[in-house]
Amino acid sequence: MKSIKGLLLFVLTAVIVLACQEKEKTQSTEFKVDFEKFTLDNGLQVILHVDDSDPVVAVALTAHVGSAREKEGRTGFAHLFEHLLFLESENLGKGGLDKMSARIGGSGANGSTSRDRTNYFQTVPKDALEKMIWAEADKLGFFINTVTEPVLAKEKQVVKNEKRQSTDNRPYGHSSYVTNTNLYPEGHPYSWEVIGSLEDLQNATLEDVKEFYRRWYVPNNVTLTIAGDIDVKQTKEWVKKYFDEIPRGEDIDEIEKQPVILKSSKRLFYEDNFARLPRLSMTWPGVPQYHKDSYALSVLTEYLSNGKKAPLNQILVDQEKLTDNVRFSQYNSEIAGQISLSVTAFNQIDLNVVADAINDGFKDFELNGISESDLNRIKAGQETDFYNSLSSVLGKGFQLAQYEIFAGDPGFINQDVKNILAVTPEDVMAVYNKYIKDKNYIATSFVPKGQVDLVLDNSTLANVVEEKIVQGAEETFDASIEATYEKTPSSFDRSIEPPFGENPELNIPEVWKEKLDSGINVYGIENTEVPLVQFEMQIEGGLLLENKNKIGVSNLLANLMTKGTKNKSTEELENAIQSLGASIYAYATDSNITISGTTLSKHFDATMDLVNEILLEPRWDENELELLKASTISTIKRQKGSPNSISANEYAKLLYGENNILSNSNNGTEESVASITMIDLKEFYNKNLTPQLASYHVVGAISKSEVLASLDQINNQWESKEVTIPELPLPLKPASSKIYFYDIPGAKQSVIRFGYPALKATEVDYYPATVMNYRLGGGGFASQLTQQLREGKGYTYGIRSRFSGSNYNGEFAISSGVRSNVTFESTSLVKDILENYGSGYNEEDLEVTKGYTIKSNARAFETLNAKLNMLTNISNYGLDDDYAKQREELVKNMTVNDVKALIEKYIKPNQMIYLLVGDAETQLDRLEALGFGKPILLNK
């Protein structure tokens, strides 16, 4: 994945649902796919889908090549190539699509690589569609000449940093590698990881890049999907103009299925430098994507592990109290698949005991199977998931490509859904017997250092290669060198970027509001694009109202609220929610407790009836509280081994100081959570939860009158009381910068977090400051921090700066994970960038910032979730309904001097907290050269 943001992996299960009707016991849903497909003479498959609900278009280029097409000794190459394709092409120039994305207001050019395909995608305002088609064609047909040795050297470092971040520097990061190298035989295309090995990445040559491009990046191995507010005729003309003359490549044969048969089970173990709790994983050979048995397997894994009624949950979580969570799922790919069960046990739990409990859960299922009602409950959830995936045009485009490449027809969606709905209880038991019962598997025991006594009996040590921290180990390069090459001939001048189309209007959803007699403020947006409703009840307070000696009460209370009601056990409540195809969650933050959910609009009233019970009639189940306390303590313990979690928690302490409640994680500490009783939760509930501090936000296919009617019970029965949020001590900005270091011996990266207490979200400069920050570190690849630390030096996979705030607090922070042996160099470079940001800021910076900020508004309210976020902003911060247009005007009128004044006021590199989490033995002393005094070691 190219993105430097915490971008979630997209679920490739989007469908186009046009009608549904309810029958007696089960729901039968008619699905129709609206798309047009055509093929260019060079073999490029093109799929178009029209969705004019928002003035946006998603463009995705998917190449049918992933790590499975690599050669041994060049693992990770498909993913490395994905990175390279973004950097430059002959007519886009250096910076490629990233520079253009900022100008056109795109979501950010991004990509991902799997075992079987690589995709490149972005959502843009509709007026930039021709630009995107031009750019994607340039990448596909006019790219390879721009790749030079320095470019390759730099991107190797970026990808190696990604591997360190995603694998080497986190708990259980090597688990997948150990499993796959033992599940698949040597030479099998899935026996190596998509990310590859550090050694193989380093050994990749320029000729490897060119060979890979010539073989796989040809039109006859690529699918282009365009979904959104498009004119089909015009779009076809643009596609033909820009893609037609790219030559066809050699014919590519279909890759054959290569199922795995294990002759015996294997048990392996590994002492994990970052793990704080033992984890047992068991993996069985499964089936390829869209195999007839995959549908029943998805039901099986969910039924066995998810919820109170799940056999594995009942035994491992409720009865034996060995863990707080059982994860069971299948991972289906093009030529093979696998079924994986993972249990992270509580502290010092013997994994042999866990394995025995798993077998007991399986025996329970063998005896009882799955009922028709439980099967229908799971299917109801799948139906809602389908609708949920419709909220973005990008998801629709992904799915069309997915079916085209792996099922041979985008219209396979009709059969896919029929297969899901056709699963029977007998099918579920049949796949259990065929793939799980008494079948060989791979078992891995990952345990903390020094706890080998917890591993599964008869396990052998796994072969994992750990990178050593060596100063100056990486090759040097100059990424600024311009490539010189002879341009690829074309029938027209491709160096001319196409013009914008007609400027799309910003469509601001209509907001309705109501204040109920109890004090609840209600905000809604009616949207009938899909028959879904999303909602949240937000109650101010959370951590802000806690006793410093009992930190964690609001978090436990929120979690307990969905563990049954006065008249429903935990299992009964879960079944009631899931039978509606709904989801209801409760969680606590620093400043509130929120109950949120998603449901089909036809089940909104029934879902809200359950919300009423959850809020007004808690069950106060002592057994559930004890389970939640154990789970929370387990979470806290796991965080102690995660460099990112350590960084967040230590930064809060440094930022707010010991007298401010916000210096604490709302999870609490192991000691505070252990001391909390049901009396504490009841006291917090009775004293602090009041409708006077509540707001309800709802978006979707539901009317104002229906929403207000659903809130009658809460409005009439929820006791109103006066609750005052205490005033927080004002955190003071550091008088001078200091360096703090938290030691994790052997860390492969240093996690950095630099900043200071800053603006609240309600302060007048808050939004202008976020605009000012765009070119510093808020604009992804358009920002100086990314351009210099990632693109210029290869120090990091990603870096960002941001202002974040609420009604009660605010902060400015720069965060990243950098290669351990450039910890000082990275910190010094960040300091230099901050010091020079104001003096170097110019008209070009402002133009790029304005271009992105204004044009990206076309995408601002595309999804239900985006609309819900709009209501949250209006509700929490007192913004006007048209705040997006007001901000647009503010940005239009900003000058370079306005931005420079904001930089002078809010960017203070010599008055900041510099926190680093990494290997003190090799990196601590070097940081003294920054000139901020001797670094302060936070842990001994």
Side-chain angles (χ1 to χ4, degrees), residues 46 68 82 117 144 160 243 290 323 337 380 411 516 562 630 651 725 729 732 746 795 830 837 841 851 915:
V46 185
E82 174 216 319
R117 61 100 189 104
I144 197 61
K160 289 197 288 184
F243 281 93
Y290 305 130
T323 180
L516 304 185
T562 55
Y651 185 69
I725 306 292
L732 299 177
Y795 288 165
V830 169
Y837 186 49
Y841 197 92
L915 171 65

Side-chain angles (χ1 to χ4, degrees), residues 86-131:
F86 282 99
L87 301 180
E88 186 174 357
S89 58
E90 292 180 17
N91 301 292
L92 272 166
K94 201 168 181 67
L97 198 51
D98 291 317
K99 283 187 176 180
M100 192 180 85
S101 297
R103 288 188 286 104
I104 65 179
S107 59
N110 210 333
S112 68
T113 306
S114 74
R115 287 170 165 174
D116 307 305
R117 61 100 189 104
T118 306
N119 62 5
Y120 306 87
F121 50 87
Q122 182 170 204
T123 302
V124 299
K126 62 181 288 187
D127 65 343
L129 175 57
E130 186 182 2
K131 292 177 182 286

Side-chain angles (χ1 to χ4, degrees), residues 412-533:
F412 181 76
I413 189 172
N414 300 300
Q415 186 59 48
D416 199 17
V417 172
K418 289 177 183 176
N419 292 347
I420 291 169
L421 297 177
V423 173
T424 67
E426 292 74 22
D427 294 332
V428 179
M429 182 60 76
V431 294
Y432 169 79
N433 288 324
K434 185 174 181 179
Y435 298 102
I436 304 294
K437 184 179 180 181
D438 300 328
K439 298 299 183 290
N440 294 321
Y441 57 87
I442 305 298
T444 63
S445 302
F446 274 61
V447 296
K449 292 280 188 180
Q451 296 185 18
V452 180
D453 57 314
L454 302 180
V455 307
L456 216 56
D457 289 344
N458 302 315
S459 294
T460 58
L461 180 64
N463 179 29
V464 174
V465 178
E466 291 275 12
E467 181 188 22
K468 294 181 180 179
I469 302 171
V470 180
Q471 294 302 136
E474 283 75 16
E475 62 185 298
T476 59
F477 55 85
D478 184 353
S480 67
I481 298 174
E482 297 283 344
T484 57
Y485 50 83
E486 185 175 336
K487 292 188 84 170
T488 305
S490 175
S491 60
F492 63 96
D493 188 353
R494 290 178 176 264
S495 67
I496 301 173
E497 181 177 325
F500 280 109
E502 184 179 349
N503 192 38
E505 282 293 315
L506 173 59
N507 295 328
I508 296 180
E510 183 179 346
V511 178
W512 60 261
K513 303 173 185 177
E514 191 78 23
K515 188 176 181 70
L516 304 185
D517 295 339
S518 61
I520 302 173
N521 290 299
V522 187
Y523 301 78
I525 295 172
E526 185 172 356
N527 180 276
T528 57
E529 184 181 344
V530 290
L532 276 181
V533 181

Side-chain angles (χ1 to χ4, degrees), residues 356 368 383 392 476 497 515 555 560 652 785 790 893:
D356 290 342
N368 299 304
E383 180 184 9
S392 77
T476 59
E497 181 177 325
K515 188 176 181 70
N555 178 59
L560 189 66
L785 289 170
R790 171 174 163 148
N893 294 325

Side-chain angles (χ1 to χ4, degrees), residues 280 282 311-317 319-323 326 341 343 349-364:
L280 175 64
M282 304 170 73
L312 292 173
N313 186 90
Q314 285 185 337
I315 293 175
L316 279 90
V317 178
Q319 294 179 23
E320 301 298 327
K321 296 179 173 54
L322 302 173
T323 180
V326 180
L341 171 61
V343 177
I349 294 292
D350 188 331
L351 293 179
N352 290 285
V353 177
V354 174
D356 290 342
I358 290 170
N359 287 329
D360 289 342
F362 286 162
K363 290 175 183 175
D364 179 275

Side-chain angles (χ1 to χ4, degrees), residues 563-619:
K563 301 300 181 183
T565 65
K566 181 180 179 181
N567 297 311
K568 289 183 177 68
S569 67
T570 308
E571 183 179 319
E572 289 168 340
L573 178 60
E574 280 186 356
N575 287 340
I577 295 170
Q578 292 169 5
S579 294
L580 297 172
S583 60
I584 301 175
Y585 303 99
Y587 57 90
T589 70
D590 287 353
S591 57
N592 63 62
I593 287 178
T594 297
I595 302 172
S596 66
T598 302
T599 183
L600 296 165
S601 53
K602 63 185 176 183
H603 294 151
F604 176 74
D605 286 344
T607 303
M608 284 304 299
D609 287 342
L610 296 175
V611 172
N612 292 339
E613 283 191 60
I614 288 168
L615 179 60
L616 301 177
E617 301 176 348
R619 188 168 183 83

